[in-house]
Tab-separated table of all heavy atoms in Angstrom:
chain	number	residue	atom	x	y	z
A	4	ARG	N	39.085	-15.374	26.403
A	4	ARG	CA	38.073	-14.652	25.695
A	4	ARG	C	38.378	-14.583	24.278
A	4	ARG	O	39.512	-14.411	23.810
A	4	ARG	CB	37.889	-13.203	26.283
A	4	ARG	CG	37.227	-13.161	27.672
A	4	ARG	CD	36.596	-11.938	27.874
A	4	ARG	NE	35.972	-11.802	29.146
A	4	ARG	CZ	35.038	-10.961	29.556
A	4	ARG	NH1	34.620	-10.017	28.730
A	4	ARG	NH2	34.558	-10.918	30.746
A	5	LEU	N	37.369	-14.711	23.435
A	5	LEU	CA	37.527	-14.637	21.983
A	5	LEU	C	37.691	-13.197	21.571
A	5	LEU	O	37.056	-12.217	22.051
A	5	LEU	CB	36.309	-15.366	21.255
A	5	LEU	CG	36.038	-16.775	21.564
A	5	LEU	CD1	34.741	-17.254	20.903
A	5	LEU	CD2	37.194	-17.634	21.207
A	6	LYS	N	38.551	-13.054	20.568
A	6	LYS	CA	38.848	-11.669	20.136
A	6	LYS	C	37.571	-11.019	19.513
A	6	LYS	O	36.843	-11.567	18.775
A	6	LYS	CB	39.895	-11.721	18.946
A	6	LYS	CG	40.307	-10.417	18.470
A	6	LYS	CD	41.404	-10.558	17.300
A	6	LYS	CE	41.789	-9.267	16.806
A	6	LYS	NZ	42.846	-9.317	15.778
A	7	GLY	N	37.319	-9.851	20.005
A	7	GLY	CA	36.041	-9.114	19.543
A	7	GLY	C	34.766	-9.509	20.073
A	7	GLY	O	33.698	-9.097	19.631
A	8	VAL	N	34.821	-10.482	20.982
A	8	VAL	CA	33.554	-11.054	21.518
A	8	VAL	C	33.556	-10.836	23.103
A	8	VAL	O	34.318	-11.358	23.740
A	8	VAL	CB	33.490	-12.590	21.314
A	8	VAL	CG1	32.188	-13.116	21.890
A	8	VAL	CG2	33.514	-12.868	19.756
A	9	ASN	N	32.603	-10.043	23.550
A	9	ASN	CA	32.576	-9.638	24.934
A	9	ASN	C	31.713	-10.641	25.730
A	9	ASN	O	30.669	-10.269	26.286
A	9	ASN	CB	32.033	-8.243	25.132
A	9	ASN	CG	32.176	-7.702	26.564
A	9	ASN	OD1	33.022	-8.167	27.354
A	9	ASN	ND2	31.229	-6.813	26.966
A	10	ILE	N	32.119	-11.900	25.806
A	10	ILE	CA	31.451	-12.926	26.477
A	10	ILE	C	32.450	-13.565	27.482
A	10	ILE	O	33.500	-14.026	26.959
A	10	ILE	CB	30.756	-13.951	25.637
A	10	ILE	CG1	29.821	-13.294	24.638
A	10	ILE	CG2	30.024	-14.993	26.472
A	10	ILE	CD1	29.275	-14.274	23.612
A	11	PRO	N	32.204	-13.736	28.742
A	11	PRO	CA	33.197	-14.329	29.617
A	11	PRO	C	33.308	-15.840	29.416
A	11	PRO	O	32.445	-16.476	28.918
A	11	PRO	CB	32.615	-14.055	30.978
A	11	PRO	CG	31.156	-13.910	30.817
A	11	PRO	CD	31.006	-13.251	29.496
A	12	THR	N	34.496	-16.336	29.697
A	12	THR	CA	34.719	-17.790	29.612
A	12	THR	C	34.192	-18.475	30.831
A	12	THR	O	33.982	-17.844	31.845
A	12	THR	CB	36.193	-18.183	29.418
A	12	THR	OG1	36.905	-17.808	30.643
A	12	THR	CG2	36.942	-17.339	28.263
A	13	LEU	N	34.019	-19.772	30.732
A	13	LEU	CA	33.608	-20.565	31.909
A	13	LEU	C	34.772	-20.492	32.952
A	13	LEU	O	34.522	-20.419	34.176
A	13	LEU	CB	33.393	-22.020	31.571
A	13	LEU	CG	32.018	-22.293	30.811
A	13	LEU	CD1	32.090	-23.670	30.099
A	13	LEU	CD2	30.843	-22.113	31.719
A	14	ILE	N	35.983	-20.606	32.378
A	14	ILE	CA	37.079	-20.667	33.362
A	14	ILE	C	37.199	-19.332	34.232
A	14	ILE	O	37.437	-19.380	35.389
A	14	ILE	CB	38.412	-20.852	32.535
A	14	ILE	CG1	38.510	-22.158	31.911
A	14	ILE	CG2	39.726	-20.552	33.392
A	14	ILE	CD1	39.618	-22.421	30.924
A	15	GLU	N	37.032	-18.165	33.608
A	15	GLU	CA	37.067	-16.980	34.352
A	15	GLU	C	35.915	-16.806	35.388
A	15	GLU	O	35.996	-15.972	36.292
A	15	GLU	CB	37.190	-15.708	33.480
A	15	GLU	CG	36.001	-15.356	32.702
A	15	GLU	CD	36.158	-14.220	31.765
A	15	GLU	OE1	36.720	-14.363	30.661
A	15	GLU	OE2	35.858	-13.065	32.154
A	16	GLN	N	34.937	-17.640	35.198
A	16	GLN	CA	33.823	-17.677	36.145
A	16	GLN	C	33.981	-18.808	37.206
A	16	GLN	O	33.093	-19.194	37.940
A	16	GLN	CB	32.524	-17.780	35.397
A	16	GLN	CG	32.210	-16.648	34.435
A	16	GLN	CD	30.871	-16.754	33.764
A	16	GLN	OE1	29.787	-16.640	34.348
A	16	GLN	NE2	30.893	-17.046	32.445
A	17	GLY	N	35.210	-19.379	37.326
A	17	GLY	CA	35.461	-20.334	38.286
A	17	GLY	C	35.121	-21.804	37.950
A	17	GLY	O	35.143	-22.671	38.793
A	18	ILE	N	34.795	-22.018	36.605
A	18	ILE	CA	34.392	-23.411	36.212
A	18	ILE	C	35.443	-23.833	35.252
A	18	ILE	O	35.537	-23.247	34.028
A	18	ILE	CB	33.039	-23.341	35.546
A	18	ILE	CG1	31.977	-22.758	36.480
A	18	ILE	CG2	32.612	-24.800	35.062
A	18	ILE	CD1	30.629	-22.459	35.844
A	19	ASN	N	36.256	-24.773	35.624
A	19	ASN	CA	37.426	-25.141	34.790
A	19	ASN	C	37.005	-26.071	33.721
A	19	ASN	O	37.352	-27.229	33.647
A	19	ASN	CB	38.458	-25.821	35.726
A	19	ASN	CG	39.839	-26.061	35.037
A	19	ASN	OD1	40.142	-25.350	34.107
A	19	ASN	ND2	40.473	-27.088	35.479
A	20	VAL	N	36.393	-25.536	32.672
A	20	VAL	CA	35.971	-26.283	31.528
A	20	VAL	C	36.256	-25.533	30.272
A	20	VAL	O	35.950	-24.328	30.115
A	20	VAL	CB	34.465	-26.527	31.532
A	20	VAL	CG1	33.929	-27.143	30.216
A	20	VAL	CG2	34.045	-27.432	32.705
A	21	SER	N	36.948	-26.170	29.321
A	21	SER	CA	37.296	-25.602	27.992
A	21	SER	C	37.102	-26.740	26.973
A	21	SER	O	37.687	-27.843	27.183
A	21	SER	CB	38.758	-25.108	27.987
A	21	SER	OG	39.092	-24.665	26.751
A	22	LEU	N	36.407	-26.475	25.967
A	22	LEU	CA	36.194	-27.546	24.920
A	22	LEU	C	35.868	-26.872	23.591
A	22	LEU	O	35.045	-25.911	23.402
A	22	LEU	CB	34.978	-28.341	25.362
A	22	LEU	CG	34.592	-29.595	24.555
A	22	LEU	CD1	35.644	-30.640	24.569
A	22	LEU	CD2	33.200	-30.165	24.908
A	23	GLY	N	36.638	-27.338	22.529
A	23	GLY	CA	36.387	-26.752	21.112
A	23	GLY	C	35.565	-27.702	20.329
A	23	GLY	O	35.428	-28.882	20.591
A	24	ASN	N	35.180	-27.127	19.212
A	24	ASN	CA	34.321	-27.890	18.248
A	24	ASN	C	34.915	-27.734	16.906
A	24	ASN	O	35.187	-26.564	16.454
A	24	ASN	CB	32.908	-27.385	18.207
A	24	ASN	CG	31.917	-28.245	17.354
A	24	ASN	OD1	32.290	-29.265	16.891
A	24	ASN	ND2	30.786	-27.666	17.019
A	25	TRP	N	35.254	-28.763	16.144
A	25	TRP	CA	35.879	-28.673	14.872
A	25	TRP	C	34.897	-29.289	13.808
A	25	TRP	O	34.138	-30.224	14.122
A	25	TRP	CB	37.271	-29.223	14.825
A	25	TRP	CG	37.303	-30.727	15.167
A	25	TRP	CD1	37.456	-31.265	16.415
A	25	TRP	CD2	37.053	-31.836	14.262
A	25	TRP	NE1	37.405	-32.600	16.393
A	25	TRP	CE2	37.222	-33.047	15.071
A	25	TRP	CE3	36.801	-31.995	12.992
A	25	TRP	CZ2	37.048	-34.300	14.615
A	25	TRP	CZ3	36.629	-33.311	12.435
A	25	TRP	CH2	36.798	-34.389	13.263
A	26	ARG	N	35.057	-28.951	12.536
A	26	ARG	CA	34.278	-29.545	11.479
A	26	ARG	C	35.193	-29.804	10.257
A	26	ARG	O	36.120	-29.099	10.023
A	26	ARG	CB	33.097	-28.556	11.075
A	26	ARG	CG	32.201	-28.272	12.176
A	26	ARG	CD	31.027	-27.356	11.773
A	26	ARG	NE	30.170	-27.100	12.875
A	26	ARG	CZ	30.143	-25.905	13.504
A	26	ARG	NH1	30.880	-24.950	13.100
A	26	ARG	NH2	29.223	-25.741	14.490
A	27	GLY	N	34.755	-30.820	9.566
A	27	GLY	CA	35.615	-31.249	8.376
A	27	GLY	C	34.748	-31.916	7.366
A	27	GLY	O	33.508	-31.991	7.465
A	28	VAL	N	35.415	-32.562	6.393
A	28	VAL	CA	34.622	-33.305	5.357
A	28	VAL	C	35.356	-34.656	5.116
A	28	VAL	O	36.579	-34.754	5.209
A	28	VAL	CB	34.538	-32.539	4.024
A	28	VAL	CG1	33.470	-31.431	4.130
A	28	VAL	CG2	35.942	-31.945	3.552
A	29	TYR	N	34.530	-35.619	4.744
A	29	TYR	CA	34.991	-36.958	4.375
A	29	TYR	C	34.464	-37.220	2.890
A	29	TYR	O	33.460	-36.717	2.431
A	29	TYR	CB	34.365	-38.039	5.261
A	29	TYR	CG	35.314	-38.431	6.407
A	29	TYR	CD1	35.889	-37.553	7.348
A	29	TYR	CD2	35.633	-39.813	6.554
A	29	TYR	CE1	36.607	-37.947	8.251
A	29	TYR	CE2	36.393	-40.237	7.613
A	29	TYR	CZ	36.946	-39.289	8.496
A	29	TYR	OH	37.803	-39.673	9.473
A	30	GLY	N	35.193	-38.111	2.247
A	30	GLY	CA	34.775	-38.589	0.893
A	30	GLY	C	34.070	-39.921	0.980
A	30	GLY	O	34.039	-40.539	2.112
A	31	ALA	N	33.604	-40.439	-0.145
A	31	ALA	CA	32.843	-41.636	-0.167
A	31	ALA	C	33.802	-42.929	0.110
A	31	ALA	O	34.979	-42.834	-0.050
A	31	ALA	CB	32.181	-41.847	-1.488
A	32	PRO	N	33.160	-43.984	0.532
A	32	PRO	CA	33.888	-45.238	0.677
A	32	PRO	C	34.418	-45.745	-0.735
A	32	PRO	O	33.729	-45.516	-1.661
A	32	PRO	CB	32.901	-46.269	1.204
A	32	PRO	CG	31.814	-45.385	1.749
A	32	PRO	CD	31.752	-44.142	0.898
């Protein structure tokens, strides 16, 4: 569970799925 967020994870509901999303930046060619 995320800190300060009262939302259950998929894992604790018996669904073994965990996946993150990241963001970044690229420069020009």
Side-chain angles (χ1 to χ4, degrees):
R4 286 206 184 197
L5 299 175
K6 184 179 179 182
V8 180
N9 188 30
I10 303 173
T12 67
L13 287 164
I14 291 173
E15 69 184 85
Q16 297 181 70
I18 305 168
N19 190 26
V20 170
S21 174
L22 185 68
N24 185 14
W25 58 269
R26 300 185 181 104
V28 285
Y29 264 53

